[in-house]
Amino acid sequence: MTTRNKVLRLSKTSIERYMQCPMLWYFSYVEKLPARTDYPRLCGVQVHRFIAGLHKKNKDNRRFWYKSLDSARKAWFYTWKKALDENRTLIIKPDKELEARYGGIGCICIQNYWNQNIDDNNDPISIEKKYTIPLYHPELKGVELTGVFDQVRTANLPWLKKRRPEIFNGDELLPAYDPVLVVDLKTGWSDYDISEDDPEVIKVGKQFEIQLGIQGASYALLYKKTFKKYPAGFLIYPPQIG
């Protein structure tokens, strides 16, 4: 939740941060203190950027920017080292073993994404695109919703019908829906693992279904307001498998 020109701007991240800790939200969005980070968050940001960069156009019209998976791996470790150097003073609890571990996790993410997409001609329609809409409601004047879609991809209709038969009439997609999926890339699921020993406030912050519900609902609304139809689905895509 940010304010700009007396407009309250909501986002999936700011809402989740408020749910996690109101004071954390206050320091982040009101006091705007320098953001600290940790290895999972830093790795996630860098993997998102790296995957977006794979889809840059190249003069040889290759599937991906890099010529081979090996060159992509090498580029990732260079990217990870640079990110660590640039964020050294912002890392919470620096740890050399965790640096190496998350460098390896990032490499697995890149490798899996490469292998799963190198022979697939279904290129993303858009990548890392930001949308902002006003929320029209008598009690929500001056409020906006914003979000960044990692990817939007064309949906395979037979695949989609098996999973969402309620939005089909026979083999035809209902006119209220676009045949697209809003894709969210996840680099890992550890943030959602709940331990019996976790304090109650931590358990609340890790509620996977609530977080995905906020994200799916906000992205569906952003898409609907922008394109006049709902996306056919919200797809969680984990480039890190297992």
Side-chain angles (χ1 to χ4, degrees):
M1 303 171 205
T2 60
T3 57
R4 182 180 180 183
N5 298 328
K6 297 184 179 180
V7 172
L8 177 63
R9 180 165 291 175
L10 306 177
S11 69
K12 183 265 303 183
T13 301
S14 65
I15 293 171
E16 288 177 352
R17 188 160 295 180
Y18 187 85
M19 290 174 58
Q20 180 183 2
C21 175
M23 287 303 296
L24 176 60
W25 173 86
Y26 176 80
F27 288 135
S28 300
Y29 294 101
V30 179
E31 294 295 334
K32 297 184 179 180
L33 299 180
R36 302 295 299 277
T37 190
D38 53 27
Y39 296 109
R41 290 182 180 87
L42 185 60
C43 179
V45 169
Q46 297 304 317
V47 167
H48 275 68
R49 292 176 180 172
F50 195 94
I51 288 178
L54 287 178
H55 290 279
K56 290 189 299 185
K57 292 183 179 180
N58 56 81
K59 62 181 180 180
D60 297 326
N61 201 31
R62 294 187 302 273
R63 182 77 177 90
F64 290 138
W65 174 258
Y66 298 101
K67 292 183 177 180
S68 67
L69 176 56
D70 187 57
S71 62
R73 288 194 196 102
K74 291 177 180 177
W76 160 254
F77 282 112
Y78 173 82
T79 298
W80 180 239
K81 182 180 183 303
K82 184 178 179 182
L84 290 172
D85 291 341
E86 292 176 347
N87 292 275
R88 192 73 63 184
T89 60
L90 300 177
I91 297 289
I92 302 170
K93 296 182 180 179
D95 186 305
K96 288 292 183 180
E97 289 187 6
L98 287 178
E99 285 185 13
R101 177 186 174 190
Y102 279 94
I105 288 174
C107 185
I108 293 172
C109 292
I110 303 305
Q111 176 177 298
N112 287 337
Y113 187 88
W114 181 290
N115 289 334
Q116 293 159 11
N117 290 273
I118 189 64
D119 296 321
D120 185 359
N121 293 322
N122 184 18
D123 283 322
I125 298 170
S126 66
I127 299 173
E128 299 293 334
K129 190 167 182 179
K130 184 177 181 178
Y131 298 90
T132 300
I133 61 170
L135 291 178
Y136 295 110
H137 189 280
E139 298 179 4
L140 294 177
K141 294 180 180 179
V143 180
E144 293 180 343
L145 178 66
T146 188
V148 177
F149 297 173
D150 292 345
Q151 295 182 0
V152 176
R153 289 179 177 251
T154 301
N156 178 288
L157 293 185
W159 176 91
L160 182 63
K161 185 179 179 182
K162 291 180 180 178
R163 290 157 178 82
R164 296 208 64 193
E166 74 279 5
I167 65 172
F168 280 81
N169 181 11
D171 291 330
E172 297 294 324
L173 190 64
L174 294 178
Y177 295 87
D178 262 348
V180 301
L181 301 173
V182 177
V183 180
D184 190 67
L185 303 176
K186 298 293 185 186
T187 55
W189 299 98
S190 60
D191 289 345
Y192 304 112
D193 291 339
I194 297 177
S195 169
E196 289 297 325
D197 297 329
D198 284 340
E200 287 303 312
V201 66
I202 299 298
K203 291 180 180 179
V204 170
K206 286 184 174 182
Q207 290 185 75
F208 177 66
E209 291 184 1
I210 292 177
Q211 294 197 39
L212 283 190
I214 292 172
Q215 189 171 10
S218 62
Y219 284 9
L221 183 58
L222 284 165
Y223 191 94
K224 173 67 163 56
K225 290 287 188 179
T226 303
F227 298 105
K228 314 306 179 187
K229 291 187 177 184
Y230 289 106
F234 173 56
L235 179 66
I236 298 298
Y237 181 90
Q240 179 190 352
I241 304 298

